[in-house]
Each structure stands twice: as C-alpha cells, then as structure tokens.
Amino acid sequence: MLFTSFEFIVFLCVVFAAYYLIPKRFKQSLQWVVLFLASVFFYYLTGVNNLIYLGTTITTAYAASMAIGRLNNIQSEFIAANKAKPESERLSKDAVKAYKKANKNKRLILLTLCLLVNFGLLGFVKLSLFGVLGLSFYIFRSMSYLIDLHRGKFSQQKNPLKFALYVSFFPVLIQGPITRYEETGIALFRSNSFNKKEFSFGIQRIMWGFFKKLVIADRLVIALGALNAAPETYRGIYALMAFLFYAIVLYADFTGGIDITIGVGQALGIPMKENFIRPFYAKSIAEYWRRWHITMGEWFRDYLFYPLSTSKLMMRFGAGLRKVLGSRGNNIARRLPVHIATMVAWFSTGIWHGVSWNFIVWGLVNGVVIVLSLELEPLYKRFGKALPRLTQSKFWLCLQIVRTFWLMNFIRAFDLHRDVRTTLSLQLSVFTDFRWAKFMNEGVSKLGVSPTEYGVIAAAIALLFIASYIKNKTGGVREWLSAKPMPLRFTVYGVILFGTLIFGAYGLGFNANGFMYTVF
C-alpha cells in the first residue's frame, strides 16, 4: 500500500476515526491499541515475508531489552541497598566499581548478541536478491532503543505490544525518520485528544507531501529514467542534466514521503523530528549532511562515530602516535583518530544504502571530502581574514551554496548509476564531451516529458522555493498561512490540492512509483 495510493487515504480516514472516536475514559488504554493494529495491518499488506522479518526484530530486541533492563534494575537495587547500610558495612569503592563493571559486561554481551543477529539479518537481506521494505529503518530504531537502554537513559518498556508499536508505528515504518524512543515513545502511549489546529496542520503537511511526490518527483523521474537508460548516448550536458534531475527527484520524493509521515504523526498528536532542513542551502558537505536525512546522520554519529572516536582503541592509537612522532605530532595524534572514525562512519553509511561498490565509493567520497574540509579549515579562516569583504558578501555565500550543490550532485551520481565505471565516465564527459550541438538539435524532446509537463514541474519547483523562503523568514509556512485572511488561505490550499489532482502523476495507465528510500 503506497502512501500516495487511494487505499492509503481510505486507511488513514479509518485510523483517524477509530483513534479519536474512542470515549475519553478509554483513550489511555485503547488509542495505542488502534495504532498497533493499524501498523500490523499496514505492514501485512506489504507481504507476509516482510511481517516475518519485522516480527524477528521485535522479538529479539524485546527479549534483549527485558534482560538488559533487569540487569539495570538489579544494579540500581544493589547500589541503593549498599548505600543504606551503615558506613562500616558498605562495600569499598573498588568493590562497587568491580560489580558495576561485571554487570555492564553482562549487558554488553546481550546487546552485542542482539546487534549481531539484527545487523546480520540486515546484511543478509541486502546481499540477497530480494528486498524487505523498511528493514534498516526499524532495525536502526530498535537497536538505538537497546543501546540507549544499556546506557541507562530510560527504563525498559515491559509491555511487548507497546514495544512492538514503537518499532512498527506505520508512518515511520518503511522510510523513516529514524525516531528515538524518548522522542516518540511517550506520545505513542499517552491519551491524545483531538486538536483542531494540530490535525489541520497535519493534513496540510500530508497534502504538501503528495504535491511534491506526484507533481514533481513522479513526473520528472520519467525524463531521468530515459537519461539513465542510455548513458552511452546521453553524455556531457545530458549527464549534467541527469545529475540535476536526480537531485530534484530524490529531494521531492524523499521529503514528500517524510512530509506525509510527519503530517500523519501530527494529525494523531505524535510529534516527530524533522528529517530535512533546507539542504540545498548548505555551504559545505558537512553542513549538507546536517540538513539532509538528519536522523540517519545522527544515528551514525551517536552510535558509531562518537563511540569509535572516543574508544580506548583510538585513545591508545593516538598515544602511540605521540610516542612515535614526538611533540610535533600532537596535532596529528589528535586529528587522525577522528578522521579514521569519520571514514568508518561514512563507509558504514554507504553499506547501509547498499552492499555494492557504487554505494561504498559514494560513502568514502563523502568521508574524504569532509576530512579534507576539516584539514583545510585553517586555510579557509586565513583566507576569510585576508578578504573579509569578499567572504562576508552575499556573492560569496551564493558561490558556496552553488559549489556545494554541484559537488553533491557529482557525488550523488554514484547512487544514481550502480556501475562505478559508468559513473566516472559520465562525470568525466561533462568536461571532455559536453555535446552542446547535440543538445541544441535534439534538446529534451526524446526524454518522454512534454514541454507543458516541464512547465508544470518548473512552476511546482518555484512553489517549493517560495515555501522555503517563507519558512526561513517566519519559522513555519503553516503558521504564517494560518494568520492570513481566509480567502488567501483557501486559495493556497486549493492550489496545492487541485494542483496535485490535475497535474499529479497517477491514475489509470500510470505505473505508480514507490518511494525511493523504502528499498533501504
């Protein structure tokens, strides 16, 4: 059941009605049950095999969480009992420290086993010829819960069905965002009364997601498919066009799906973290990744980069470098472990997208560019001090944005084409085989999209820029719009709704496209 299907709209209407029509005295005990049943039914429709994989992750993670939580509780009770004893009878600090270490090691063994099972399952599926919708998203969500539980951030969720709901909540199930338990857990299980404003804002966000997906992504992807189908023909300027089209399609597709997800959550009274913050306005690759797929970046940062860069292994490695290089090597000994952790994190991010060379190269190139940027930062600062009028001007800001945008487009080409050699050849052709004459003769007439459709896509993209500008200036488009006169509000709503109905790619004869990130 696609988010953009008529069936999903009917499904949402039923869920909203069942969720809010529960009598007030039963809301606390039944609302989460409605969401759980809806989530199971939603994922069941994607295939029984998918439900089996989901059930495996839920079962193993819940069992591990109960065991880890029990060890946490035993330790807390032990320490409290020890403190309650007379001072003469208390265990020494070393004895308490040894007890904590032993308890931590037991928890770590349980955590490691569950991580190995679930990431092993993820690796097996990614290496196989079949896919499982949203597998990495719910595995990452459940493993972050276990790691945070091990770290003592919260107590375990003892109700197995509530835990299952947290892992399988249907809006975030197949393409994120990768929510954390402390962000959504409380809201999922509490009593949520109908809030007209929040429900209205949620529906508006859903409409905006439909607009981006159906009017921009699913129309422009036709031209992108034609360009990708014949890379030996569409080189040079056409390769550059493919890189640009892919950036637009991917952004409209992924953010459109996230808009629908966050909108559904808001309509249900369940807040979710934003996954994108104007990424194409980033001035560097590092900043871009703080704005794009934010929850994925934060997951790798919190659960891989930080633990690795501050681990005893890296501390020993840094200390060894200092001994070998002497005092002059202090900076290298301080920076190199961080750079290694950065490259490991980006290699893992590439593998997360797919176990193939194109994704590995994509991840490593991102990591290399970020490391080089960190190493060149002192040079950037000196340049800024030498030419302050230039580097503080709007021209320089625009130059940084355009540079970052196109650099990311070239890096993203490894995601667009699964063959690394083809990608490198197309990237090189932009500089050596531009084919301007071919473009002037043929243009884009053979790409399956009419001039009228390009006009619709361009107008829709312009609307995206307008919405982005308003959000940047006011803090929120829907909040800004709600303060405007009713005629203006309903004009905007009408443009989005009827623009989607009239110009959206759907209906009889149309091959509906699923969201790109569901395959990850």
Side-chain angles (χ1 to χ4, degrees):
M1 182 164 53
L2 297 175
F3 272 9
T4 51
S5 66
F6 176 75
E7 291 81 2
F8 182 71
I9 296 174
V10 174
F11 171 77
L12 274 187
C13 291
V14 172
V15 171
F16 289 152
Y19 188 74
Y20 283 121
L21 291 178
I22 293 173
K24 187 175 181 178
R25 64 181 181 277
F26 298 122
K27 284 184 183 294
Q28 183 73 47
S29 57
L30 291 182
Q31 278 189 321
W32 71 267
V33 176
V34 170
L35 296 182
F36 172 71
L37 294 175
S39 299
V40 172
F41 178 72
F42 176 84
Y43 207 59
Y44 168 78
L45 292 180
T46 68
V48 176
N49 287 340
N50 290 332
L51 203 57
I52 292 173
Y53 283 105
L54 175 63
T56 300
T57 294
I58 291 172
T59 302
T60 55
Y62 176 75
S65 72
M66 290 300 292
I68 291 171
R70 180 174 174 274
L71 288 170
N72 277 334
N73 294 336
I74 290 173
Q75 177 174 294
S76 298
E77 292 170 2
F78 174 84
I79 292 172
N82 186 59
K83 286 183 178 180
K85 293 179 180 179
E87 189 171 349
S88 59
E89 298 179 14
R90 291 178 190 171
L91 294 175
S92 66
K93 289 184 179 180
D94 288 340
V96 172
K97 186 177 180 180
Y99 174 84
K100 287 182 176 180
K101 184 177 180 180
N103 186 287
K104 181 180 179 180
N105 287 339
K106 291 178 183 178
R107 300 197 313 269
L108 193 58
I109 290 171
L110 290 167
L111 173 63
T112 302
L113 287 174
C114 195
L115 291 174
L116 288 174
V117 168
N118 282 278
F119 285 124
L121 177 64
L122 180 60
F124 168 75
V125 170
K126 285 188 175 291
L127 285 169
S128 65
L129 298 177
F130 56 90
V132 178
L133 289 179
L135 177 68
S136 60
F137 289 103
Y138 62 72
I139 284 181
F140 272 42
R141 191 157 51 249
S142 55
M143 294 305 102
S144 71
Y145 169 87
L146 276 183
I147 295 170
D148 288 342
L149 181 64
H150 167 70
R151 293 173 176 175
K153 285 191 174 182
F154 44 72
S155 299
Q156 77 270 32
Q157 172 54 255
K158 295 181 180 180
N159 187 318
L161 296 184
K162 286 186 176 180
F163 176 77
L165 170 59
Y166 160 69
V167 175
S168 66
F169 184 42
F170 73 89
V172 302
L173 188 55
I174 58 176
Q175 65 171 357
I178 304 172
T179 56
R180 307 283 181 93
Y181 185 75
E182 64 269 25
E183 294 169 352
T184 59
I186 296 174
L188 278 171
F189 311 131
R190 72 187 177 195
S191 172
N192 288 309
S193 299
F194 182 80
N195 183 304
K196 181 180 178 182
K197 177 183 175 182
E198 292 300 311
F199 186 82
S200 173
F201 278 12
I203 298 301
Q204 291 171 38
R205 187 80 181 255
I206 294 170
M207 288 170 54
W208 185 235
F210 271 66
F211 179 82
K212 283 200 253 185
K213 169 64 173 172
L214 297 177
V215 179
I216 300 175
D218 282 359
R219 285 210 174 277
L220 192 56
V221 76
I222 297 170
L224 178 63
L227 291 169
N228 288 351
E232 67 287 343
T233 300
Y234 295 115
R235 300 170 60 79
I237 190 172
Y238 285 103
L240 204 63
M241 187 183 302
F243 300 163
L244 175 62
F245 283 4
Y246 186 53
I248 296 170
V249 169
L250 186 61
Y251 176 79
D253 184 283
F254 198 7
T255 62
I258 294 297
D259 285 334
I260 295 171
T261 292
I262 294 176
V264 171
Q266 187 170 14
L268 292 168
I270 301 165
M272 296 181 204
K273 189 169 184 177
E274 292 292 341
N275 215 25
F276 294 87
I277 302 176
R278 304 171 77 235
F280 294 150
Y281 288 88
K283 302 181 291 297
S284 68
I285 300 299
E287 183 186 353
Y288 172 88
W289 284 109
R290 290 193 296 270
R291 293 168 172 263
W292 178 283
H293 205 346
I294 296 168
T295 56
M296 180 201 71
E298 290 179 341
W299 199 99
F300 281 102
R301 180 196 68 192
D302 295 345
Y303 302 114
L304 182 57
F305 172 77
Y306 283 159
L308 179 59
S309 62
T310 59
S311 65
K312 291 181 180 179
L313 176 65
M314 285 298 178
M315 294 299 103
R316 288 196 295 267
F317 176 68
L321 282 177
R322 289 185 182 91
K323 288 181 180 179
V324 173
L325 300 174
S327 59
R328 293 183 179 180
N330 283 338
N331 284 335
I332 295 175
R334 177 175 52 84
R335 297 196 307 268
L336 192 56
V338 175
H339 295 338
I340 292 173
T342 298
M343 294 305 299
V344 169
W346 275 105
F347 173 80
S348 302
T349 305
I351 292 292
W352 177 82
H353 282 79
V355 186
S356 57
W357 279 111
N358 67 304
F359 287 120
I360 292 172
V361 172
W362 170 87
L364 292 176
V365 170
N366 272 289
V368 167
V369 172
I370 290 172
V371 168
L372 286 176
S373 297
L374 289 173
E375 286 298 309
L376 293 173
E377 194 170 330
L379 183 62
Y380 298 151
K381 289 180 179 179
R382 287 199 295 270
F383 181 78
K385 289 180 180 179
L387 297 170
R389 292 185 64 182
L390 172 63
T391 56
Q392 294 174 18
S393 65
K394 289 185 177 180
F395 167 78
W396 187 255
L397 174 64
C398 291
L399 191 64
Q400 288 178 300
I401 291 172
V402 171
R403 175 206 62 189
T404 302
F405 175 75
W406 278 105
L407 181 56
M408 276 308 308
N409 285 347
F410 272 77
I411 295 174
R412 201 183 290 110
F414 289 105
D415 178 13
L416 177 59
H417 298 284
R418 299 304 170 95
D419 179 41
V420 174
R421 181 172 295 181
T422 298
T423 300
L424 292 173
S425 175
L426 288 171
Q427 290 170 335
L428 184 62
S429 74
V430 173
F431 305 100
T432 63
D433 189 16
F434 201 63
R435 300 197 177 192
W436 180 254
K438 178 179 174 65
F439 178 75
M440 292 300 292
N441 290 330
E442 296 183 9
V444 292
S445 59
K446 297 181 179 180
L447 300 182
V449 178
S450 68
T452 301
E453 289 174 310
Y454 279 118
V456 170
I457 294 167
I461 292 172
L463 194 57
L464 258 64
F465 275 102
I466 293 171
S468 176
Y469 176 81
I470 294 172
K471 184 175 182 178
N472 186 51
K473 289 293 183 181
T474 65
V477 178
R478 290 167 296 171
E479 292 79 0
W480 173 83
L481 193 58
S482 66
K484 298 301 176 184
M486 185 179 293
L488 176 60
R489 294 205 311 271
F490 279 88
T491 297
V492 174
Y493 301 153
V495 168
I496 301 301
L497 176 60
F498 291 105
T500 304
L501 293 175
I502 295 170
F503 300 112
Y506 65 92
L508 295 176
F510 173 70
N511 184 19
N513 293 294
F515 288 88
M516 291 180 173
Y517 261 74
T518 59
V519 298
F520 297 123

